[in-house]
């Protein structure tokens, strides 16, 4: 891993395409499974979904012996403390990350940013321009696709291609892929994306109910958590591990 801390965002201007879920899943996989030092700056003001998730996760660990044991074992066996989740807003997100870096004894390999789903929110464009890499989730929905292509093209035309920011790469990512949909549909969409000159990751993330599975009173295997990685039984077939590897290969070249 490079010595510099990389700033990475799963970002788009369309809600409901899984950017927050992907941020948590990839951050937790890299931190707890791959041994990397990760942090998240949650600047998705005002809901701060990841900061709220961390609070729920932490409260449950404190009140539930099953999760308390899991957290203890994770710390003692893997020497993995929970990664920090810093609450901020789009205008001050970069300063929040720099403060986190300056005040921590840990060198962070990657800081993920969770941003609002619109370029119109104050500070979003500035924060995005300071990312090293941006990954934009898309789905085979015309409204989602058009919105995300407009978002990506705007960043490409106004920031990346003119060298105004730090962005080294912007990649589209198929998310919520329905296995029942014909591959011809995706091929048609990808030809449009290719014409716009926007790269797209090879890995796709299937549409599955497991993405909603957080810590629970039934102690069923966890998929999405800020304190634990996705359970091995749920990672299989989710492509989260494959996506993590593809992203790492891109950002560490």
């Amino acid at each position: 891993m490079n010595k510099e801390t990389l700033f990475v965002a799963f970002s788009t201007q369309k809600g409901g395409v899984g950017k927050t879920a992907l941020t948590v899943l990839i951050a937790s996989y890299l931190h707890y499974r791959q041994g990397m030092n990760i942090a998240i700056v949650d600047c998705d003001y005002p809901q701060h979904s990841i900061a709220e998730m961390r609070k729920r996760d932490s409260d449950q660990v404190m009140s539930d012996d099953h999760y308390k044991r899991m957290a203890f074992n994770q710390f003692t066996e893997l020497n993995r403390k929970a990664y920090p989740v810093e609450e901020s807003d789009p205008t001050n997100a970069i300063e929040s990350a720099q403060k986190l870096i300056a005040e921590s004894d840990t060198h962070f390999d990657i800081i993920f940013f969770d941003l609002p789903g619109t370029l119109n929110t104050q500070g979003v464009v500035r924060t995005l321009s300071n990312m090293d890499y941006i990954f934009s989730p898309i789905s085979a929905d015309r409204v989602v696709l058009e919105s995300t292509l407009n978002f990506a093209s705007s960043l490409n035309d106004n920031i990346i291609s003119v060298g105004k920011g730090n962005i080294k790469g912007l990649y589209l990512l198929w998310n919520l892929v329905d296995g029942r949909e014909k591959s011809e549909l995706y091929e048609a969409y990808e030809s449009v994306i290719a014409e716009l000159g926007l790269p797209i990751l090879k890995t796709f993330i299937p549409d599955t109910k497991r993405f909603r599975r957080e810590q629970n009173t039934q102690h069923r295997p966890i998929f999405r958590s800020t304190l634990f990685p996705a359970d091995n039984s749920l990672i299989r077939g989710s492509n989260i591990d494959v996506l993590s590897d593809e992203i790492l290969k891109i950002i560490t070249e």
Side-chain angles (χ1 to χ4, degrees):
M1 195 72 198
N2 295 333
K3 285 298 181 184
E4 65 168 324
T5 299
L6 294 174
F7 290 177
V8 177
F10 290 94
S11 186
T12 178
Q13 61 180 3
K14 190 76 181 70
V17 293
K19 65 181 182 63
T20 297
L22 284 169
T23 302
V24 171
L25 287 163
I26 299 299
S28 293
Y29 183 83
L30 294 177
H31 185 81
Y32 300 117
R33 290 266 187 239
Q34 301 294 88
M36 299 177 70
N37 293 320
I38 305 296
I40 292 178
V41 174
D42 181 356
C43 40
D44 191 3
Y45 177 85
Q47 58 264 36
H48 288 130
S49 303
I50 297 179
E52 286 299 311
M53 187 187 302
R54 168 55 63 84
K55 185 176 185 304
R56 290 196 306 273
D57 293 343
S58 300
D59 287 348
Q60 194 152 32
V61 164
M62 296 303 294
S63 62
D64 188 310
D65 287 341
H66 172 78
Y67 291 119
K68 199 174 289 184
R69 283 192 300 272
M70 279 182 61
F72 177 77
N73 291 339
Q74 182 165 266
F75 176 69
T76 54
E77 293 173 15
L78 302 178
N79 194 27
R80 289 275 88 187
K81 292 181 180 179
Y83 55 76
V85 175
E86 187 75 16
E87 202 169 309
S88 188
D89 58 65
T91 302
N92 299 296
I94 300 301
E95 287 74 19
S96 295
Q98 290 168 340
K99 186 169 183 282
L100 195 60
I101 291 168
E103 294 181 353
S104 176
D105 295 330
T106 301
H107 166 74
F108 295 111
D109 297 308
I110 304 170
I111 296 182
F112 288 98
F113 291 73
D114 193 39
L115 288 148
T118 173
L119 290 175
N120 295 327
T121 302
Q122 186 176 2
V124 168
V125 172
R126 174 180 174 266
T127 297
L128 284 172
S129 70
N130 278 279
M131 295 297 103
D132 291 293
Y133 294 92
I134 298 170
F135 298 93
S136 293
I138 52 174
S139 63
D141 175 285
R142 185 172 178 177
V143 174
V144 170
L145 195 61
E146 287 182 355
S147 173
T148 306
L149 291 182
N150 287 335
F151 166 82
S153 295
S154 177
L155 288 179
N156 203 27
D157 295 342
N158 297 310
I159 297 175
I160 301 172
S161 63
V162 294
K164 282 188 176 178
N166 298 330
I167 303 171
K168 301 176 181 72
L170 185 155
Y171 297 82
L172 302 180
L173 157 65
W174 285 117
N175 193 30
L176 305 174
V177 173
D178 188 339
R180 297 166 298 179
E181 290 178 326
K182 293 181 179 179
S183 60
E184 290 89 346
L185 177 64
Y186 287 93
E187 288 172 5
Y189 282 142
E190 288 197 2
S191 67
V192 173
I193 292 167
E195 286 176 14
L196 292 171
L198 297 169
I200 187 164
L201 298 185
K202 295 175 182 176
T203 310
F204 69 88
I205 301 298
D207 188 7
T208 169
K209 291 181 181 177
R210 76 184 78 179
F211 278 78
R212 304 186 194 102
R213 192 179 292 186
E214 298 185 13
Q215 292 170 208
N216 51 82
T217 54
Q218 295 82 29
H219 303 149
R220 297 170 68 201
I222 301 166
F223 193 63
R224 184 172 62 182
S225 170
T226 66
L227 296 179
F228 305 107
D231 189 271
N232 280 331
S233 65
L234 297 177
I235 285 180
R236 284 193 295 272
S238 73
N239 284 353
I240 288 299
D241 50 348
V242 184
L243 177 61
S244 297
D245 290 343
E246 185 174 4
I247 287 173
L248 278 185
K249 187 175 180 181
I250 288 169
I251 69 178
T252 57
E253 282 182 344

